[in-house]
Amino acid sequence: QFLAIFRGSFAPSTSSSNNQDHSFSLLSMWTARRVQTFLASLNSNMISHVHDTATLRDALDASSFFASSMGRVGADFQSLLAPIFEPLLTKMIVGYWSDGLNGMSETLK
């Protein structure tokens, strides 16, 4: 079982495409699947639970630390965090700017 999980496919292959098909070990495929599951869970929880910038910052800090720590095993996924956090931050900033513009318009009337 140990070899089935931790051994990469070092068996000689006759074609380069066959070698490419077996380039990932079972462990690396499992790790990639777990990272994708984490990102999907993070995305769904961010939408429903994060409503202010302080919480967003804390979630980004924790996620960035976790993503960079996964780099120790070759699974750094920091670049995959931006598509999750950026739209939420943009939505919050646009909301704050709209509120400020509306307040200023009411003050100037």
Side-chain angles (χ1 to χ4, degrees):
Q1 290 176 343
F2 176 84
L3 291 178
I5 294 173
F6 294 103
R7 179 183 65 194
S9 64
F10 297 113
S13 172
T14 58
S15 70
S16 63
S17 65
N18 191 15
N19 193 18
Q20 289 291 340
D21 292 340
H22 298 293
S23 63
F24 291 107
S25 69
L26 185 58
L27 181 61
S28 65
M29 288 186 290
W30 179 84
T31 303
R33 191 175 315 130
R34 294 306 300 169
V35 166
Q36 289 300 323
T37 301
F38 170 76
L39 291 171
S41 175
L42 178 67
N43 192 27
S44 66
N45 286 320
M46 293 292 289
I47 292 170
S48 60
H49 296 294
V50 175
H51 304 292
D52 59 59
T53 54
T55 307
L56 184 70
R57 184 200 62 228
D58 291 344
L60 178 60
D61 285 345
S63 298
S64 294
F65 179 77
F66 175 56
S68 65
S69 295
M70 289 296 289
R72 296 178 190 153
V73 294
D76 187 343
F77 59 94
Q78 287 180 336
S79 63
L80 300 175
L81 294 175
I84 295 172
F85 286 90
E86 189 175 316
L88 291 170
L89 181 60
T90 302
K91 181 180 174 184
M92 287 179 193
I93 289 173
V94 168
Y96 292 143
W97 287 349
S98 296
D99 292 345
L101 181 62
N102 292 336
M104 188 173 99
S105 295
E106 288 298 318
T107 301
L108 294 176
K109 286 184 181 180

